[in-house]
Amino acid sequence: MKKIKLNAETRKNIEENLIKRSPSSFGEYQERVDAILAEVKAKGDEAVFSYTKKFDGADINASNIRVTDDEIKEAYNKVEDRFVEVIRKAIKNIREYHEHQLRNSFFIPKPDGTILGQKITPLKNVGVYVPGGKAAYPSSVLMNVVPAKVAGVDNIIMVTPPGKDGKIYEGTLVAAHEAGVTEIYKVGGAQAIAALAYGTETIPKVDKIVGPGNIYVALAKKSVYGLVSIDSVAGPSEVMVLADDTANPEYVAADLLSQAEHDQMASAILVTTSEKLADEVAKWIDKFVPTLSRKEIIEKSLENYGYILIAKDMDEAIDCVNQIASEHLEIITANPFDAMTKVRNAGAIFIGEWSSEPLGDYMAGPDHVLPTSGTAKFFSPLGVDDFIKKSSVIFYSRPALKELHEDIEYFAKAEGLTAHANSIAVRFKDE
């Protein structure tokens, strides 16, 4: 990891380096993605089956693309009982947290006969993309599906790439079944996003697509946005630890590495007011890395996007936190709740040395689908609100409209919209 004194120039350089990881910076893939989208739109299942054979090596057709009940039963037989227990415990925590996000419709009646309100309606059909192969994460299944179930979504259609044998990772299938997925289809990549966005002979069109994926999936989601809604265009994972001299350097090092192992483009950053802590964390990282199974990935991640930043004081450190707007932020300081009140931009905030980031990945309850690449400045974690829509409700009685009709007509004419004015005026033409 690079150890750097924090100042305006170094922070700007770091921000520019991190933003290169955003899917929006990989335009050279867009042409290939667009070609896949166009072919699936034109040829439907034929294109889906062809791309699945090409990219995943699996012989998928209309008779086996949908996961069957027997395949789900087989998956349960393959996983340990403990796995199912842990999945159910995680679902309970995720559900209980997201139930607090539920909104209610409201109506405001007034004495003049006016009723104004807002009607909350769950989305009807949602598509969930789940990565396959080495990147199979049952935890992401739960984090995408459970909030949708809490919101009241009718149909949750999951897509995930099969192995060469045409099968789906058993942990993914068990997680999907436990969370309440309606249908599961064996297709991945940009072709899966296209199938969900346009619909094919076997895969139904959805209203929204959520879930993480590689650069092809991210760019495909970006391209179909507008035809359907999406959660976000997610970039590589990232963690930032804000720490002072009270932090345990062993814990800090372990937490930084927990994100660096995700991807060679993952980012792990320590910002601290303590030079001593910085040195000790660097030593612990050197001790840990050789012992970890994803050593090569971690080393590449730290080489390109790993930083230890030394700030002159906590105000400068927090300013850096807010500018970088990390996906995950851990605060390990003498007064972590005080520091938290000054944080404006972070996807998820973990407070204190016992709130390590993997707690949020698996068990705590808040969603781990979070804004990346600085988008925590204006985006929020995935939640129930992502699976509902709001409709305004307006009712006026004749006496209530009469009080306003001249003002409305005047306003419409001021905008040059005489048909708007007439729509109101005709109701009072006899007066």
Side-chain angles (χ1 to χ4, degrees):
M1 295 181 77
K2 295 171 281 292
K3 185 174 154 186
I4 299 172
K5 286 280 189 183
L6 192 58
N7 57 46
E9 183 180 356
T10 57
R11 190 181 71 193
K12 183 180 180 213
N13 291 339
I14 291 167
E15 287 180 63
E16 288 176 353
N17 189 39
L18 293 176
I19 206 67
K20 293 174 186 174
R21 300 153 55 252
S22 167
S24 299
S25 300
F26 290 83
E28 68 267 26
Y29 295 95
Q30 190 66 59
E31 187 175 339
R32 279 175 268 174
V33 168
D34 290 343
I36 293 170
L37 295 177
E39 189 163 357
V40 173
K41 184 178 182 181
K43 298 182 179 179
D45 277 350
E46 179 187 344
V48 168
F49 303 152
S50 175
Y51 281 122
T52 302
K53 179 65 175 175
K54 178 179 179 180
F55 296 130
D56 300 304
D59 291 312
I60 298 299
N61 54 54
S63 68
N64 66 6
I65 189 171
R66 182 173 172 177
V67 171
T68 64
D69 290 342
D70 286 343
E71 287 175 296
I72 291 173
K73 289 176 185 175
E74 182 185 352
Y76 272 89
N77 291 330
K78 287 183 177 179
V79 300
E80 297 178 353
D81 290 344
R82 177 73 188 280
F83 179 82
V84 180
E85 291 172 8
V86 169
I87 286 288
R88 289 174 179 171
K89 187 181 291 186
I91 288 173
K92 180 178 182 292
N93 291 344
I94 297 165
R95 182 189 300 115
E96 288 178 353
Y97 175 84
H98 285 89
E99 283 173 347
H100 287 280
Q101 297 180 342
L102 280 167
R103 293 170 179 255
N104 293 315
S105 300
F106 65 82
F107 298 92
I108 308 168
K110 296 184 178 181
D112 63 1
T114 302
I115 300 175
L116 302 177
Q118 180 173 273
K119 182 176 180 291
I120 302 293
T121 308
L123 301 183
K124 185 173 180 59
N125 303 299
V126 167
V128 175
Y129 186 91
V130 176
K134 294 179 181 177
Y137 299 118
S139 60
S140 286
V141 176
L142 306 186
M143 294 293 183
N144 282 279
V145 174
V146 174
K149 293 293 289 185
V150 170
V153 173
D154 289 338
N155 301 306
I156 300 174
I157 312 302
M158 192 177 100
V159 292
T160 188
K164 290 182 180 180
D165 59 359
K167 294 184 179 295
I168 305 298
Y169 172 58
E170 57 267 19
T172 297
L173 289 183
V174 170
H177 186 261
E178 291 289 331
V181 169
T182 312
E183 300 170 21
I184 305 170
Y185 292 92
K186 303 171 186 176
V187 55
Q191 60 272 23
I193 301 302
L196 291 172
Y198 305 126
T200 73
E201 296 89 332
T202 56
I203 300 174
K205 182 185 184 307
V206 299
D207 304 312
K208 183 165 188 169
I209 302 171
V210 301
N214 62 18
I215 187 65
Y216 293 97
V217 170
L219 291 177
K221 287 170 68 178
K222 183 179 178 184
S223 293
V224 300
Y225 176 66
L227 176 65
V228 296
S229 180
I230 63 171
D231 50 352
S232 65
V233 181
S237 188
E238 51 201 30
V239 66
M240 182 173 235
V241 179
L242 172 65
D244 61 16
D245 56 7
T246 67
N248 182 319
E250 184 179 6
Y251 295 174
V252 172
D255 293 355
L256 292 169
L257 295 175
S258 74
Q259 289 306 292
E261 78 169 342
H262 266 300
D263 190 307
Q264 292 182 0
M265 297 178 72
S267 168
I269 301 174
L270 166 64
V271 57
T272 180
T273 53
S274 170
E275 186 111 31
K276 182 181 179 211
L277 178 74
D279 291 338
E280 291 176 347
V281 168
K283 290 176 185 176
W284 274 108
I285 285 174
D286 289 341
K287 288 181 184 178
F288 278 133
V289 170
T291 70
L292 300 171
S293 62
R294 295 169 72 89
K295 173 177 174 286
E296 290 78 15
I297 291 174
I298 291 171
E299 287 176 337
K300 200 71 177 174
S301 167
L302 296 181
E303 178 186 343
N304 293 324
Y305 305 107
Y307 297 95
I308 296 176
L309 307 177
I310 314 296
K312 67 176 183 289
D313 55 33
M314 191 55 64
D315 286 341
E316 184 180 56
I318 292 174
D319 187 47
C320 177
V321 165
N322 284 325
Q323 281 300 115
I324 290 178
S326 186
E327 177 189 18
H328 306 98
L329 172 67
E330 292 189 10
I331 303 176
I332 310 176
T333 61
N335 299 297
F337 283 94
D338 179 64
M340 183 266 291
T341 64
K342 299 171 185 175
V343 173
R344 294 183 63 89
N345 304 321
I349 303 172
F350 300 79
I351 299 175
E353 67 179 9
W354 304 112
S355 305
S356 176
E357 187 280 332
L359 170 68
D361 274 351
Y362 299 111
M363 273 294 167
D367 215 285
H368 79 200
V369 181
L370 302 166
T372 60
S373 304
T375 60
K377 291 176 181 176
F378 44 84
F379 280 147
S380 304
L382 192 74
V384 170
D385 278 356
D386 288 283
F387 300 103
I388 63 167
K389 57 192 181 70
K390 294 164 274 188
S391 302
S392 303
V393 176
I394 300 169
F395 170 81
Y396 263 61
S397 64
R398 188 178 192 282
L401 182 60
K402 184 177 180 180
E403 287 291 316
L404 292 174
H405 83 93
E406 291 180 353
D407 292 334
I408 298 169
E409 292 164 33
Y410 174 83
F411 209 154
K413 289 174 182 176
E415 292 189 340
L417 300 176
T418 54
H420 277 62
N422 185 61
S423 172
I424 300 295
V426 294
R427 288 166 164 79
F428 300 97
K429 64 183 179 181
D430 297 331
E431 296 187 9

